[in-house]
Amino acid sequence: MTIVENEVQIPGQIVVLDPQDGSTVGTVPAASKADAERAVDFASRAFESYRTLPANVRSSALAEVAKLLHEEREEFSRLIAREGIKTIREARREVARCVNTLKLSAEEVSRLTGETIPFDQAEGSENRVGYYRRIPLGVVVAITPFNDPLNLVAHKIGPAIAAGNAVILKPHSETPLSAQRLVNLFARTGLPAGLLQMLTGRGSEIGDTLVSDPRVRMISFTGGKDVGKHIQAIAGVKKLAMELGSSCPVIVFPDADEALALDASISGAFWAAGQNCLHVQRLLLHETIFDDFARQFCQRATALRVGNKLDDATDMGPMINEQAAKKLEALVVDALDSGASLLCGGRRQGNVFFPTVLANVDPTCAIAEEEVFGPVTILERFNSVEEAIAKANSVDHGLQAGIFTRDLNIAFRVADALDCGGVMINDSSDFRIDAMPFGGTKGSGIGREGVAHAAREMSDVKTYCFNLQQSVGCETDL
């Protein structure tokens, strides 16, 4: 692996480098504050012009993009693998999911319905009838991360367009090319100009301008907790949906199907080199199975093939940049200096950090409290259901968790007690389908994604009430 030490600088442009070898994948414009202001102005005017855009036009555009993406799926897969951290197999899966996300968004257009309201339930309102319906918010700003550069984009712009909004997409500056290509597909549909724009640039240059503009009615952000707090502080009065990461636990009880738990946990721990908010960061093992499970888990982690992302035989690629790999290395060293045991891995080579498993980690270490976002999993012991729950809930994160057990009583009991947005029973914490509600508690964020749930968060409820007794101008001779 080539060590990529310095960012290539071109005035007015961002050079996108392959984190595997430092080669140039492409370039995109580096937007300025003035560009961001113009984008919001254009989006606001476009929304006012097309706020009554028929549902069939929005649905058709989303369905057409899903079709076009499916036709170009291999080109998109290779682009995702080159500009980011995913292997070609992982990238192909992301593209397939993105097609599904867009199809769901197209279908959701017709599901954003309202209901009649029985106003006569209130005394004195017997002559009133009415209903509520869903209306678009206006301008939505979508800010996406590097680790799912296509499907997480679709999870924001798909529901936003389905709900009738104008969208400004700001993808991560290190992986903007697949998002750019997806936006170009929308340009080939009947979606009016201005309802979807993409700004490429660094958050430090354009982020505050987009987030704080009062004409923006909602921010949908996926990224780090510190940035999320900053957005919350400057956004003003508008809707916020933020997924801010996690430190996902997976609990394995003695009666679990061991083979199932191993397969799922290995995939969950090292998919996309652990750069995944649903990454299995903490694996809680019952004392009676700890040694055997830990041995097999390490054997499988060590056997993962790390190498060329474009090779179908490769299981795991690099981290997004050397800075991220060095940060992870420092966290591991800090844990080892505090008494942790290194069961396997712990080695960095340029941007690559090899699959790593730790045990006996001091709970006050940074690696035990922060989101790792890399291929490191911490093994912990527990002796009782109560202890497992307490350990799982001990951090300021609550996105998803996994439980492995054959006992339904334990499954329901633990699932109810875990403080998080989703619990996967007999699945890893990283299981997700694109239709399910997705989001967390505590420091993991606010709001829910998942196409139907996001579309509702990206719309408003408007109530209409008719006082029939007071209606005039409708007299006839009948």
Side-chain angles (χ1 to χ4, degrees):
M1 294 291 178
T2 300
I3 298 177
V4 183
E5 294 183 347
N6 298 308
E7 182 184 56
V8 176
Q9 300 285 344
I10 298 179
Q13 290 187 314
I14 294 172
V15 181
V16 182
L17 302 177
D18 186 333
Q20 179 170 279
D21 58 13
S23 61
T24 298
V25 186
T27 62
V28 293
S32 65
K33 179 180 178 180
D35 293 326
E37 291 171 346
R38 282 192 291 268
V40 176
D41 185 58
F42 190 27
S44 299
R45 288 187 282 111
F47 175 71
E48 290 304 320
S49 298
Y50 300 109
R51 65 187 306 158
T52 58
L53 188 69
N56 65 81
V57 176
R58 289 179 271 134
S59 180
S60 295
L62 289 161
E64 178 66 13
V65 173
K67 176 177 176 291
L68 293 170
L69 176 59
H70 177 72
E71 292 171 356
E72 299 180 18
R73 59 192 180 276
E74 187 61 20
E75 294 91 335
F76 270 89
S77 298
R78 293 184 69 83
L79 184 56
I80 290 170
R82 282 216 62 205
E83 72 171 335
I85 44 85
K86 289 188 171 177
T87 66
I88 188 64
R89 287 187 286 124
E90 292 170 335
R92 287 180 183 130
R93 182 172 169 185
E94 180 175 352
V95 174
R97 285 185 59 189
C98 186
V99 170
N100 185 56
T101 299
L102 292 167
K103 287 180 179 178
L104 289 170
S105 298
E107 295 165 1
E108 195 58 34
V109 174
S110 62
R111 297 184 185 131
L112 287 167
T113 58
E115 290 184 359
T116 57
I117 302 168
F119 282 98
D120 59 355
Q121 66 183 286
E123 187 176 348
S125 295
E126 289 82 1
N127 295 306
R128 289 176 173 83
V129 297
Y131 58 93
Y132 73 83
R133 68 185 185 97
R134 293 248 167 212
I135 61 170
L137 294 173
V139 178
V140 174
V141 166
I143 304 173
T144 56
F146 70 82
N147 57 318
D148 284 300
L150 188 70
N151 194 39
L152 280 182
V153 167
H155 263 285
K156 298 185 187 299
I157 65 177
I161 291 170
N165 299 294
V167 192
I168 301 172
L169 169 66
K170 194 278 177 200
H172 198 282
S173 60
E174 294 192 80
T175 55
L177 297 176
S178 50
Q180 183 182 56
R181 184 162 182 159
L182 181 66
V183 169
N184 288 340
L185 294 187
F186 276 94
R188 292 160 59 182
T189 72
L191 193 71
L195 288 186
L196 174 59
Q197 298 177 78
M198 177 173 135
L199 276 182
T200 51
R202 295 172 181 83
S204 58
E205 295 290 329
I206 61 176
D208 285 6
T209 301
L210 291 174
V211 166
S212 61
D213 195 305
R215 294 171 296 177
V216 172
R217 300 295 301 275
M218 181 174 179
I219 307 294
S220 180
F221 170 74
T222 300
K225 186 161 62 174
D226 289 343
V227 178
K229 288 180 178 179
H230 176 70
I231 290 172
Q232 196 168 33
I234 69 169
V237 181
K238 54 175 63 81
K239 280 191 171 185
L240 296 176
M242 299 195 292
E243 194 270 279
L244 305 177
S246 194
S247 172
C248 293
V250 169
I251 306 170
V252 185
F253 288 93
D255 68 330
D257 181 327
E258 188 176 77
L260 177 66
L262 278 166
D263 287 344
S265 297
I266 283 290
S267 174
F270 303 113
W271 178 270
Q275 295 159 103
N276 172 12
C277 58
L278 298 179
H279 156 68
V280 180
Q281 182 165 326
R282 296 176 294 144
L283 192 52
L284 311 182
L285 307 172
H286 192 271
E287 177 68 43
T288 58
I289 65 169
F290 184 92
D291 291 338
D292 182 60
F293 198 100
R295 176 182 55 80
Q296 294 189 66
F297 187 80
C298 288
Q299 286 177 348
R300 296 202 184 192
T302 305
L304 292 172
R305 291 160 293 191
V306 180
N308 182 0
K309 293 178 294 177
L310 295 177
D311 188 335
D312 281 308
T314 299
D315 296 312
M316 199 183 91
M319 297 189 68
I320 189 62
N321 53 45
E322 191 175 17
Q323 181 183 0
K326 286 181 175 179
K327 179 182 176 181
L328 182 57
E329 183 179 41
L331 288 172
V332 171
V333 169
D334 174 66
L336 295 175
D337 288 345
S338 298
S341 304
L342 179 65
L343 302 187
C344 69
R347 184 165 63 93
R348 181 180 69 84
Q349 182 182 339
N351 292 7
V352 172
F353 202 91
F354 288 85
T356 298
V357 182
L358 301 174
N360 305 313
V361 173
D362 186 328
T364 64
C365 281
I367 203 168
E369 296 181 336
E370 299 177 8
E371 181 181 39
V372 168
F373 224 67
V376 175
T377 296
I378 298 167
L379 306 189
E380 299 182 52
R381 303 171 187 263
F382 71 90
N383 286 291
S384 66
V385 172
E386 292 74 18
E387 185 182 8
I389 294 169
K391 287 190 172 188
N393 288 338
S394 65
V395 297
D396 185 32
H397 297 284
L399 191 53
Q400 286 194 175
I403 303 169
F404 287 91
T405 180
R406 289 185 172 93
D407 190 325
L408 282 177
N409 289 321
I410 288 179
F412 277 105
R413 177 182 168 191
V414 175
D416 284 345
L418 293 177
D419 190 359
C420 59
V423 182
M424 309 298 113
I425 294 94
N426 290 324
D427 261 313
S428 164
S429 60
D430 80 328
F431 178 79
R432 179 187 179 187
I433 66 168
D434 298 294
M436 68 187 246
F438 179 71
T441 62
K442 301 186 287 187
S444 288
I446 54 176
R448 290 294 180 269
E449 289 197 341
V451 174
H453 307 275
R456 279 154 182 75
E457 298 220 7
M458 293 177 173
S459 61
D460 245 332
V461 171
K462 190 171 187 176
T463 300
Y464 299 74
C465 177
F466 297 84
N467 185 344
L468 298 181
Q469 190 175 40
Q470 299 298 319
S471 295
V472 294
C474 193
E475 296 181 0
T476 70
D477 293 330
L478 294 179

